[in-house]
mmCIF file of all heavy atoms in Angstrom:
data_model
loop_
_atom_site.group_PDB
_atom_site.id
_atom_site.type_symbol
_atom_site.label_atom_id
_atom_site.label_comp_id
_atom_site.label_asym_id
_atom_site.label_seq_id
_atom_site.Cartn_x
_atom_site.Cartn_y
_atom_site.Cartn_z
ATOM 1 N N ALA A 1 0.831 -1.207 0.000
ATOM 2 C CA ALA A 1 0.000 0.000 0.000
ATOM 3 C C ALA A 1 0.869 1.263 0.000
ATOM 4 O O ALA A 1 0.559 2.244 -0.682
ATOM 5 C CB ALA A 1 -0.929 -0.003 1.209
ATOM 6 N N ARG A 2 1.960 1.230 0.773
ATOM 7 C CA ARG A 2 2.836 2.404 0.826
ATOM 8 C C ARG A 2 3.504 2.649 -0.527
ATOM 9 O O ARG A 2 3.605 3.787 -1.003
ATOM 10 C CB ARG A 2 3.889 2.229 1.924
ATOM 11 C CG ARG A 2 4.731 3.473 2.144
ATOM 12 C CD ARG A 2 5.480 3.410 3.466
ATOM 13 N NE ARG A 2 4.569 3.385 4.602
ATOM 14 C CZ ARG A 2 3.895 4.423 5.071
ATOM 15 N NH1 ARG A 2 4.029 5.610 4.490
ATOM 16 N NH2 ARG A 2 3.105 4.292 6.111
ATOM 17 N N LEU A 3 3.961 1.581 -1.150
ATOM 18 C CA LEU A 3 4.561 1.726 -2.481
ATOM 19 C C LEU A 3 3.525 2.197 -3.495
ATOM 20 O O LEU A 3 3.811 3.031 -4.361
ATOM 21 C CB LEU A 3 5.167 0.390 -2.927
ATOM 22 C CG LEU A 3 6.425 -0.059 -2.179
ATOM 23 C CD1 LEU A 3 6.776 -1.497 -2.563
ATOM 24 C CD2 LEU A 3 7.596 0.870 -2.506
ATOM 25 N N GLY A 4 2.317 1.674 -3.384
ATOM 26 C CA GLY A 4 1.257 2.090 -4.300
ATOM 27 C C GLY A 4 0.910 3.557 -4.133
ATOM 28 O O GLY A 4 0.682 4.270 -5.121
ATOM 29 N N LEU A 5 0.877 4.037 -2.896
ATOM 30 C CA LEU A 5 0.586 5.454 -2.652
ATOM 31 C C LEU A 5 1.697 6.329 -3.229
ATOM 32 O O LEU A 5 1.423 7.352 -3.868
ATOM 33 C CB LEU A 5 0.437 5.703 -1.152
ATOM 34 C CG LEU A 5 0.185 7.162 -0.756
ATOM 35 C CD1 LEU A 5 -1.100 7.686 -1.391
ATOM 36 C CD2 LEU A 5 0.134 7.302 0.768
ATOM 37 N N ALA A 6 2.964 5.935 -3.011
ATOM 38 C CA ALA A 6 4.082 6.715 -3.541
ATOM 39 C C ALA A 6 4.016 6.781 -5.069
ATOM 40 O O ALA A 6 4.210 7.846 -5.672
ATOM 41 C CB ALA A 6 5.408 6.093 -3.098
ATOM 42 N N ARG A 7 3.725 5.657 -5.685
ATOM 43 C CA ARG A 7 3.651 5.626 -7.151
ATOM 44 C C ARG A 7 2.492 6.494 -7.650
ATOM 45 O O ARG A 7 2.618 7.212 -8.643
ATOM 46 C CB ARG A 7 3.500 4.182 -7.607
ATOM 47 C CG ARG A 7 3.770 3.952 -9.083
ATOM 48 C CD ARG A 7 3.911 2.482 -9.398
ATOM 49 N NE ARG A 7 5.119 1.934 -8.819
ATOM 50 C CZ ARG A 7 5.149 0.964 -7.911
ATOM 51 N NH1 ARG A 7 4.024 0.444 -7.457
ATOM 52 N NH2 ARG A 7 6.294 0.511 -7.447
ATOM 53 N N THR A 8 1.381 6.440 -6.951
ATOM 54 C CA THR A 8 0.219 7.240 -7.348
ATOM 55 C C THR A 8 0.526 8.732 -7.270
ATOM 56 O O THR A 8 0.237 9.501 -8.194
ATOM 57 C CB THR A 8 -0.985 6.911 -6.443
ATOM 58 O OG1 THR A 8 -1.304 5.529 -6.581
ATOM 59 C CG2 THR A 8 -2.193 7.753 -6.825
ATOM 60 N N LEU A 9 1.120 9.154 -6.150
ATOM 61 C CA LEU A 9 1.461 10.568 -5.980
ATOM 62 C C LEU A 9 2.500 11.009 -7.014
ATOM 63 O O LEU A 9 2.438 12.117 -7.541
ATOM 64 C CB LEU A 9 1.979 10.803 -4.566
ATOM 65 C CG LEU A 9 0.956 10.575 -3.447
ATOM 66 C CD1 LEU A 9 1.636 10.621 -2.085
ATOM 67 C CD2 LEU A 9 -0.169 11.602 -3.520
ATOM 68 N N HIS A 10 3.438 10.118 -7.322
ATOM 69 C CA HIS A 10 4.441 10.391 -8.344
ATOM 70 C C HIS A 10 3.765 10.645 -9.684
ATOM 71 O O HIS A 10 4.017 11.652 -10.347
ATOM 72 C CB HIS A 10 5.403 9.203 -8.419
ATOM 73 C CG HIS A 10 6.394 9.263 -9.534
ATOM 74 N ND1 HIS A 10 7.205 8.193 -9.862
ATOM 75 C CD2 HIS A 10 6.704 10.238 -10.426
ATOM 76 C CE1 HIS A 10 7.972 8.521 -10.876
ATOM 77 N NE2 HIS A 10 7.684 9.751 -11.238
ATOM 78 N N PHE A 11 2.898 9.727 -10.102
ATOM 79 C CA PHE A 11 2.234 9.857 -11.398
ATOM 80 C C PHE A 11 1.346 11.101 -11.445
ATOM 81 O O PHE A 11 1.154 11.695 -12.506
ATOM 82 C CB PHE A 11 1.394 8.623 -11.702
ATOM 83 C CG PHE A 11 2.199 7.366 -11.921
ATOM 84 C CD1 PHE A 11 1.572 6.130 -12.003
ATOM 85 C CD2 PHE A 11 3.574 7.408 -12.025
ATOM 86 C CE1 PHE A 11 2.301 4.976 -12.202
ATOM 87 C CE2 PHE A 11 4.321 6.253 -12.217
ATOM 88 C CZ PHE A 11 3.681 5.024 -12.302
ATOM 89 N N ALA A 12 0.823 11.493 -10.300
ATOM 90 C CA ALA A 12 -0.036 12.674 -10.236
ATOM 91 C C ALA A 12 0.777 13.969 -10.203
ATOM 92 O O ALA A 12 0.203 15.060 -10.202
ATOM 93 C CB ALA A 12 -0.946 12.605 -9.022
ATOM 94 N N GLY A 13 2.104 13.846 -10.157
ATOM 95 C CA GLY A 13 2.956 15.032 -10.135
ATOM 96 C C GLY A 13 3.179 15.619 -8.767
ATOM 97 O O GLY A 13 3.771 16.698 -8.641
ATOM 98 N N LEU A 14 2.755 14.929 -7.718
ATOM 99 C CA LEU A 14 2.937 15.403 -6.344
ATOM 100 C C LEU A 14 4.220 14.786 -5.793
ATOM 101 O O LEU A 14 4.207 13.855 -4.976
ATOM 102 C CB LEU A 14 1.720 15.031 -5.486
ATOM 103 C CG LEU A 14 0.382 15.570 -6.014
ATOM 104 C CD1 LEU A 14 -0.779 14.986 -5.212
ATOM 105 C CD2 LEU A 14 0.369 17.095 -5.955
ATOM 106 N N LEU A 15 5.351 15.307 -6.232
ATOM 107 C CA LEU A 15 6.623 14.634 -5.999
ATOM 108 C C LEU A 15 7.092 14.737 -4.548
ATOM 109 O O LEU A 15 7.648 13.771 -4.009
ATOM 110 C CB LEU A 15 7.677 15.214 -6.950
ATOM 111 C CG LEU A 15 7.298 15.124 -8.435
ATOM 112 C CD1 LEU A 15 8.413 15.732 -9.302
ATOM 113 C CD2 LEU A 15 7.027 13.690 -8.865
ATOM 114 N N GLY A 16 6.889 15.894 -3.918
ATOM 115 C CA GLY A 16 7.261 16.007 -2.500
ATOM 116 C C GLY A 16 6.495 15.021 -1.633
ATOM 117 O O GLY A 16 7.102 14.243 -0.872
ATOM 118 N N PRO A 17 5.156 15.006 -1.708
ATOM 119 C CA PRO A 17 4.394 14.019 -0.948
ATOM 120 C C PRO A 17 4.752 12.581 -1.316
ATOM 121 O O PRO A 17 4.705 11.682 -0.456
ATOM 122 C CB PRO A 17 2.938 14.343 -1.309
ATOM 123 C CG PRO A 17 2.966 15.800 -1.642
ATOM 124 C CD PRO A 17 4.282 16.023 -2.322
ATOM 125 N N ALA A 18 5.090 12.340 -2.572
ATOM 126 C CA ALA A 18 5.459 10.988 -2.980
ATOM 127 C C ALA A 18 6.707 10.523 -2.239
ATOM 128 O O ALA A 18 6.763 9.401 -1.709
ATOM 129 C CB ALA A 18 5.683 10.934 -4.490
ATOM 130 N N LEU A 19 7.728 11.393 -2.170
ATOM 131 C CA LEU A 19 8.935 11.032 -1.427
ATOM 132 C C LEU A 19 8.646 10.878 0.063
ATOM 133 O O LEU A 19 9.173 9.979 0.731
ATOM 134 C CB LEU A 19 10.011 12.099 -1.634
ATOM 135 C CG LEU A 19 10.927 11.954 -2.845
ATOM 136 C CD1 LEU A 19 11.911 13.102 -2.893
ATOM 137 C CD2 LEU A 19 11.678 10.623 -2.810
ATOM 138 N N GLN A 20 7.774 11.767 0.590
ATOM 139 C CA GLN A 20 7.452 11.701 2.010
ATOM 140 C C GLN A 20 6.766 10.382 2.348
ATOM 141 O O GLN A 20 6.986 9.810 3.425
ATOM 142 C CB GLN A 20 6.546 12.874 2.390
ATOM 143 C CG GLN A 20 6.274 12.980 3.883
ATOM 144 C CD GLN A 20 7.543 13.145 4.708
ATOM 145 O OE1 GLN A 20 8.481 13.825 4.292
ATOM 146 N NE2 GLN A 20 7.586 12.510 5.876
ATOM 147 N N SER A 21 5.965 9.877 1.427
ATOM 148 C CA SER A 21 5.269 8.616 1.694
ATOM 149 C C SER A 21 6.240 7.444 1.770
ATOM 150 O O SER A 21 5.937 6.412 2.380
ATOM 151 C CB SER A 21 4.219 8.348 0.611
ATOM 152 O OG SER A 21 4.829 8.062 -0.627
ATOM 153 N N LEU A 22 7.428 7.597 1.148
ATOM 154 C CA LEU A 22 8.441 6.539 1.211
ATOM 155 C C LEU A 22 9.346 6.676 2.424
ATOM 156 O O LEU A 22 10.146 5.767 2.707
ATOM 157 C CB LEU A 22 9.302 6.565 -0.055
ATOM 158 C CG LEU A 22 8.625 6.190 -1.376
ATOM 159 C CD1 LEU A 22 9.589 6.415 -2.528
ATOM 160 C CD2 LEU A 22 8.157 4.747 -1.359
ATOM 161 N N ALA A 23 9.264 7.784 3.148
ATOM 162 C CA ALA A 23 10.191 8.066 4.239
ATOM 163 C C ALA A 23 10.295 6.943 5.275
ATOM 164 O O ALA A 23 11.408 6.660 5.766
ATOM 165 C CB ALA A 23 9.821 9.384 4.918
ATOM 166 N N PRO A 24 9.194 6.261 5.639
ATOM 167 C CA PRO A 24 9.324 5.188 6.637
ATOM 168 C C PRO A 24 10.268 4.062 6.226
ATOM 169 O O PRO A 24 10.762 3.323 7.085
ATOM 170 C CB PRO A 24 7.885 4.674 6.780
ATOM 171 C CG PRO A 24 7.039 5.856 6.456
ATOM 172 C CD PRO A 24 7.773 6.547 5.353
ATOM 173 N N PHE A 25 10.536 3.929 4.915
ATOM 174 C CA PHE A 25 11.471 2.896 4.470
ATOM 175 C C PHE A 25 12.928 3.285 4.718
ATOM 176 O O PHE A 25 13.818 2.447 4.620
ATOM 177 C CB PHE A 25 11.304 2.628 2.960
ATOM 178 C CG PHE A 25 10.033 1.937 2.586
ATOM 179 C CD1 PHE A 25 9.164 2.509 1.665
ATOM 180 C CD2 PHE A 25 9.693 0.704 3.129
ATOM 181 C CE1 PHE A 25 7.997 1.872 1.299
ATOM 182 C CE2 PHE A 25 8.521 0.054 2.769
ATOM 183 C CZ PHE A 25 7.665 0.639 1.850
ATOM 184 N N PHE A 26 13.166 4.579 5.024
ATOM 185 C CA PHE A 26 14.547 5.058 5.075
ATOM 186 C C PHE A 26 14.851 5.829 6.365
ATOM 187 O O PHE A 26 15.665 6.753 6.365
ATOM 188 C CB PHE A 26 14.823 5.967 3.865
ATOM 189 C CG PHE A 26 14.548 5.313 2.542
ATOM 190 C CD1 PHE A 26 13.451 5.686 1.777
ATOM 191 C CD2 PHE A 26 15.372 4.306 2.063
ATOM 192 C CE1 PHE A 26 13.186 5.075 0.556
ATOM 193 C CE2 PHE A 26 15.123 3.689 0.850
ATOM 194 C CZ PHE A 26 14.028 4.072 0.094
ATOM 195 N N THR A 27 14.232 5.458 7.457
ATOM 196 C CA THR A 27 14.411 6.211 8.705
ATOM 197 C C THR A 27 15.777 5.978 9.342
ATOM 198 O O THR A 27 16.342 6.883 9.971
ATOM 199 C CB THR A 27 13.315 5.837 9.712
ATOM 200 O OG1 THR A 27 13.293 4.413 9.863
ATOM 201 C CG2 THR A 27 11.960 6.325 9.232
ATOM 202 N N THR A 28 16.342 4.784 9.225
ATOM 203 C CA THR A 28 17.663 4.466 9.778
ATOM 204 C C THR A 28 18.410 3.608 8.759
ATOM 205 O O THR A 28 17.799 3.007 7.869
ATOM 206 C CB THR A 28 17.555 3.654 11.084
ATOM 207 O OG1 THR A 28 17.008 2.355 10.798
ATOM 208 C CG2 THR A 28 16.670 4.372 12.106
ATOM 209 N N PRO A 29 19.753 3.539 8.877
ATOM 210 C CA PRO A 29 20.506 2.686 7.952
ATOM 211 C C PRO A 29 20.048 1.232 7.981
ATOM 212 O O PRO A 29 20.008 0.569 6.945
ATOM 213 C CB PRO A 29 21.952 2.831 8.443
ATOM 214 C CG PRO A 29 21.991 4.175 9.094
ATOM 215 C CD PRO A 29 20.641 4.347 9.729
ATOM 216 N N GLU A 30 19.681 0.743 9.161
ATOM 217 C CA GLU A 30 19.258 -0.653 9.271
ATOM 218 C C GLU A 30 17.931 -0.876 8.545
ATOM 219 O O GLU A 30 17.759 -1.865 7.819
ATOM 220 C CB GLU A 30 19.115 -1.055 10.745
ATOM 221 C CG GLU A 30 20.416 -1.082 11.530
ATOM 222 C CD GLU A 30 20.918 0.323 11.905
ATOM 223 O OE1 GLU A 30 20.132 1.296 11.775
ATOM 224 O OE2 GLU A 30 22.082 0.433 12.317
ATOM 225 N N ILE A 31 16.992 0.051 8.736
ATOM 226 C CA ILE A 31 15.699 -0.079 8.061
ATOM 227 C C ILE A 31 15.860 0.106 6.554
ATOM 228 O O ILE A 31 15.260 -0.619 5.754
ATOM 229 C CB ILE A 31 14.691 0.935 8.628
ATOM 230 C CG1 ILE A 31 14.337 0.554 10.074
ATOM 231 C CG2 ILE A 31 13.439 1.008 7.779
ATOM 232 C CD1 ILE A 31 13.447 1.554 10.773
#
């Protein structure tokens, strides 16, 4: 669902929100 939301926002041209939706995947080096 998170990947789908990021892709949707990307295709809609909402690039800042699209990156923000991916942020939980990159919170720490381990994650």
Side-chain angles (χ1 to χ4, degrees):
R2 187 164 296 285
L3 290 171
L5 178 60
R7 195 167 291 118
T8 300
L9 295 171
H10 173 189
F11 293 170
L14 303 172
L15 303 180
L19 273 179
Q20 186 59 37
S21 69
L22 293 174
F25 290 124
F26 304 108
T27 53
T28 67
E30 294 76 13
I31 292 175

